[in-house]
Amino acid sequence: MADPVLPSSGALSPLGLDAVRLAPGFWGDRVALNREVTIAHCLDWMEREGWIGNFRGALPRRGREFSDSEIYKLLEAMAWADHPGFAELAQTVVQAQEGDGYLNTRWSGSRYVDLEWGHELYCYGHLIQAGVARLRAHGEDAFTEAVRKAADHVCRRFTDTTETCGHPELEMALVELYRATGAERYLELARRLLERRGLPALGPIPFGAAYFQDDLPVRQATALRGHAVRALYLACGAVDVAVESGDEELLKAVESQWERTVARRTHLTGGMGSRHADEAFGEDFELPPDRAYAETCAGIASIMLSHRLLLATGDVRYAELAERTLYNVLATGVALDGRSFFYSNPLQVRVPAQPSQEINLGHSGGLRSPWFAVSCCPSNIARTFASLGSYLAAADPSGLRIHHHTPAVIEGAGLRVAVETGYPWSGGVAVRMLADGHGRLSLRVPAWAEGATLGYGPAAPPQGPDAPAQGAGASPQGAHAATDVAARTRVVREATPGYAAVEGEWREGDVVVLDLPMAPRWTFPDRRVDALRGSAAVERGPLVYCAESAAGEPSLTDLSARLTPPAERTGPSGVVELEIEAELTLSDTAGWPYTSRPETAGRPDTSRLETPPASGTRLRLVPYHRWGNAGPAAMRVWLPAAD
């Protein structure tokens, strides 16, 4: 089965990429763009920067010590996407392997001298994941043989030591290789690497042992901490080891860490990481919007962890966070043209950046970069989109569960269905049976969808210009007709948040329709988040919205939002923008920003202003994932509340 995660047990069973065929729609369009544009873009930049040349023996070696891993992530993307460039790139990699299986262009000749920062085992992890992708999507070949040779080298070198790598990644890769081959040595090394961390297993560094998750054994930690990507990758490996070894204690420990992290250390977008200096989680409720790091790779790692926990437990809360992060981090990390990227994803940018051709880290000003000196995000985006179909649905013992709503044909658990929807712009989701079958169909009802309804039974296709397209998917406009389908179904009932299930004998043409209310809503932060107190944000469906201001437009700094219902405005492509009432005041630059009178706090002394404060302005809000696509801009998600 072609799938990046194939546990041998758990509440849910993955369906695999061959069982989920995406159609044009929000995610289908992005997956197609990834295959047609982003993968080639990454390949071109890796060649241009000399990172591929390193495998040909070019001197001097170019790129950071971990640049090999980017080639491996790109190979994984190519394997899942059945990209024609795979064979040539794989051959270039294989020719650099040494006789005993060692493969690294940075450390050959001085192996394993810097396990804290060298990233050798981290690179092997991504190599192995690429090998597993090729094995499952294509079968055995010279590349998969080289990958197994490298993995066996790692097992010989590290099984009987107390060492580990400063950057977790190898653990989950080894478990997946065990799942693909049945070789117990891979699972055993993964388990040992996991148990060594926190003893400690690594030397001291200025950031402290928590940066490496080496301050505590995995089972004793109460929250994810330290470098966000490292922490999330380690947690993924822990879930994989727990599932394959039947270690309920370890699984419960990761679930508890996830729960506290989501409750206290996660941004509204699903982004993780508050500190730029060490790309790390902050303490509980340390969530400043303008200093949010929320690296794109951390968002991808969070999706990977939530997916693993969802498969292991079947608990809908993991699908909830995965959806939030998919729409508001993954979709944000790459521009609409598929050729430029955000590395970090702050929730406020005060000043638009100056346009520049320089490679940057995307930290400010709405300026995506075509590449980075540390370019982990583009290739991570590429491999995630290439395998995205595997995240959308799964089988449970009674039937088919659909976690994420997007146009697709899905086959599994004895059912073959077409999903027709304009989600996330519209809330109608129609699931049409493409063949007779038996079993339970479960559709996820998001936590925000109070008042959702479910209709099901034999249904005639609706007529007229608003009817959904016949086939795998529907246009954003046509998908609004899902509510019309519900009116024609035999039974309509309330669908509470969780999974709405219908079970029975199905006939080709039967339809199940989920109608999700999509009214915009104001969202307020926990008062313990000091940086957000007194502010509010707007969400609609799974999307977080933001205000955006390009150079020369009014500043967002002196803005306050009136908490009245936002107005909707739908563009020709189906994209929904919002408009809110706001107060935009003029700053009293001569004044003192502190006062003993709370009723005047944050308000200028109008007696000192030649022009009175503006009031009653209208402010346009755009989906957060679309900001910065028209050029550098200021932006903010959390708006001070005028009320």
Side-chain angles (χ1 to χ4, degrees):
M1 183 187 296
D3 200 292
V5 182
L6 281 178
S8 62
S9 64
L12 303 179
S13 301
L15 297 182
L17 293 172
D18 46 353
V20 180
R21 181 165 57 87
L22 289 168
F26 188 93
W27 291 119
D29 293 348
R30 284 162 171 78
V31 169
L33 181 71
N34 181 68
R35 188 182 189 280
E36 296 163 9
V37 175
T38 303
I39 289 176
H41 176 89
C42 291
L43 183 64
D44 177 66
W45 271 92
M46 289 177 187
E47 193 70 79
R48 185 188 311 188
E49 291 295 299
W51 299 355
I52 297 175
N54 293 334
F55 289 88
R56 303 187 186 105
L59 295 174
R61 184 190 182 277
R62 296 171 63 183
R64 292 289 300 272
E65 62 274 14
F66 41 74
S67 65
D68 288 3
S69 69
E70 311 313 336
I71 282 78
Y72 302 152
K73 281 186 281 185
L74 184 61
L75 281 167
E76 182 183 350
M78 289 176 163
W80 294 131
D82 192 24
H83 195 278
F86 179 92
E88 181 179 352
L89 183 57
Q91 184 179 10
T92 300
V93 167
V94 169
Q95 71 181 9
Q97 188 171 36
E98 299 182 29
D100 65 349
Y102 183 86
L103 179 55
N104 190 285
T105 69
R106 168 61 180 86
W107 297 104
S108 180
S110 56
R111 301 178 181 183
Y112 310 120
V113 297
D114 187 2
L115 289 173
E116 283 78 19
W117 299 108
H119 289 76
E120 278 166 285
L121 300 187
Y122 168 82
C123 289
Y124 280 124
H126 283 300
L127 173 66
I128 291 169
Q129 286 176 321
V132 170
R134 180 65 170 176
L135 183 62
R136 288 177 175 161
H138 178 270
E140 294 278 8
D141 61 10
F143 180 71
T144 63
E145 181 182 350
V147 167
R148 295 179 68 169
K149 187 176 180 181
D152 289 341
H153 160 78
V154 172
C155 287
R156 289 193 302 271
R157 172 63 178 77
F158 287 96
T159 296
D160 294 323
T161 73
T162 60
E163 299 165 299
T164 192
C165 182
H167 199 311
E169 156 65 24
L170 179 60
E171 296 85 352
M172 59 175 156
L174 284 169
V175 175
E176 217 58 56
L177 186 59
Y178 158 73
R179 290 166 172 167
T181 65
E184 292 279 351
R185 60 186 176 277
Y186 303 137
L187 176 61
E188 178 60 19
L189 177 56
R191 187 191 66 78
R192 293 190 184 193
L193 291 172
L194 198 72
E195 298 292 359
R196 290 169 191 168
R197 197 170 294 269
L199 295 181
L202 297 161
I205 60 168
F207 290 136
Y211 176 87
F212 288 144
Q213 297 74 49
D214 200 34
D215 55 327
L216 290 169
V218 172
R219 299 170 191 272
Q220 295 179 20
T222 59
L224 301 181
R225 72 265 179 243
H227 187 277
V229 178
R230 284 171 163 87
L232 288 157
Y233 278 178
L234 182 66
C236 287
V239 173
D240 289 338
V241 168
V243 167
E244 294 308 318
S245 59
D247 192 333
E248 288 294 328
E249 178 193 38
L250 180 58
L251 181 60
K252 291 296 183 184
V254 179
E255 288 188 83
S256 178
Q257 294 162 19
W258 181 95
E259 185 173 352
R260 179 171 169 181
T261 301
V262 171
R264 296 167 178 251
R265 301 184 178 191
T266 302
H267 295 282
L268 180 66
T269 55
M272 294 188 177
S274 298
R275 296 180 177 174
H276 285 237
D278 49 356
E279 300 183 306
F281 287 100
E283 298 298 330
D284 288 353
F285 304 109
E286 183 186 338
L287 296 166
D290 51 346
R291 295 299 296 166
Y293 199 67
E295 183 187 338
T296 298
C297 281
I300 290 170
S302 174
I303 294 165
M304 293 165 62
L305 176 59
S306 292
H307 181 61
R308 283 165 164 79
L309 289 169
L310 177 63
L311 293 176
T313 69
D315 193 325
V316 70
R317 63 182 178 167
Y318 300 118
E320 288 283 337
L321 183 66
E323 177 179 75
R324 178 174 294 275
T325 313
L326 282 164
Y327 280 103
N328 300 296
V329 179
L330 177 62
T332 309
V334 58
L336 296 176
D337 66 1
R339 292 186 172 90
S340 59
F341 312 90
F342 279 147
Y343 189 103
S344 63
N345 295 279
L347 280 71
Q348 181 176 356
V349 172
R350 296 178 183 273
V351 180
Q354 294 297 316
S356 171
Q357 296 302 312
E358 295 179 3
I359 293 176
N360 65 84
L361 285 180
H363 288 165
S364 62
L367 187 62
R368 286 180 173 86
S369 175
W371 204 246
F372 309 108
V374 178
S375 215
C376 49
C377 298
S379 55
N380 220 355
I381 288 169
R383 69 170 182 152
T384 304
F385 275 122
S387 59
L388 190 66
S390 65
Y391 292 88
L392 302 182
D396 64 27
S398 300
L400 177 65
R401 287 198 200 186
I402 298 178
H403 311 305
H404 305 295
H405 307 305
T406 198
V409 169
I410 302 173
E411 187 168 5
L415 299 177
R416 185 167 184 267
V417 303
V419 181
E420 300 166 345
T421 181
Y423 194 81
W425 311 117
S426 63
V429 182
V431 180
R432 183 164 46 86
M433 296 294 162
L434 298 179
D436 295 354
H438 173 80
R440 183 171 62 189
L441 175 66
S442 301
L443 306 180
R444 187 175 61 85
V445 181
W448 46 261
E450 297 287 346
T453 59
L454 187 75
Y456 51 93
Q463 304 299 316
D466 243 4
Q470 295 302 300
S475 68
Q477 295 85 356
H480 286 284
T483 302
D484 298 332
V485 178
R488 291 173 166 83
T489 55
R490 182 183 301 164
V491 179
V492 178
R493 61 178 173 83
E494 182 182 1
T496 57
Y499 285 101
V502 185
E503 186 166 8
E505 296 289 339
W506 301 100
R507 296 290 178 265
E508 181 179 353
D510 286 354
V511 68
V512 177
V513 178
L514 183 64
D515 191 17
L516 303 172
M518 300 291 283
R521 61 194 185 276
W522 286 100
T523 299
F524 304 93
D526 189 303
R527 290 187 60 81
R528 291 170 288 183
V529 185
D530 295 323
L532 301 179
R533 197 171 295 132
S535 61
V538 179
E539 299 179 87
R540 182 184 182 275
L543 302 179
V544 172
Y545 277 70
C546 66
E548 185 179 28
S549 178
E553 295 181 352
S555 169
L556 300 176
T557 302
D558 299 322
L559 176 146
S560 297
R562 295 176 178 172
L563 305 183
T564 54
E568 295 188 17
R569 182 173 59 195
T570 303
S573 62
V575 175
V576 177
E577 295 184 351
L578 304 176
E579 195 174 74
I580 63 170
E581 297 179 15
E583 295 179 4
L584 191 61
T585 60
L586 299 179
S587 298
D588 178 12
T589 56
W592 180 243
Y594 310 101
T595 179
S596 59
R597 299 172 58 193
E599 68 275 10
T600 64
R603 300 182 183 277
D605 180 359
T606 57
S607 66
R608 301 176 61 90
L609 297 174
E610 295 182 5
T611 306
S615 63
T617 186
R618 305 289 293 180
L619 182 67
R620 182 176 69 101
L621 303 181
V622 300
Y624 176 76
H625 73 261
R626 296 180 69 89
W627 89 277
N629 272 281
M635 177 276 296
R636 66 188 306 170
V637 168
W638 291 102
L639 308 169
D643 303 40

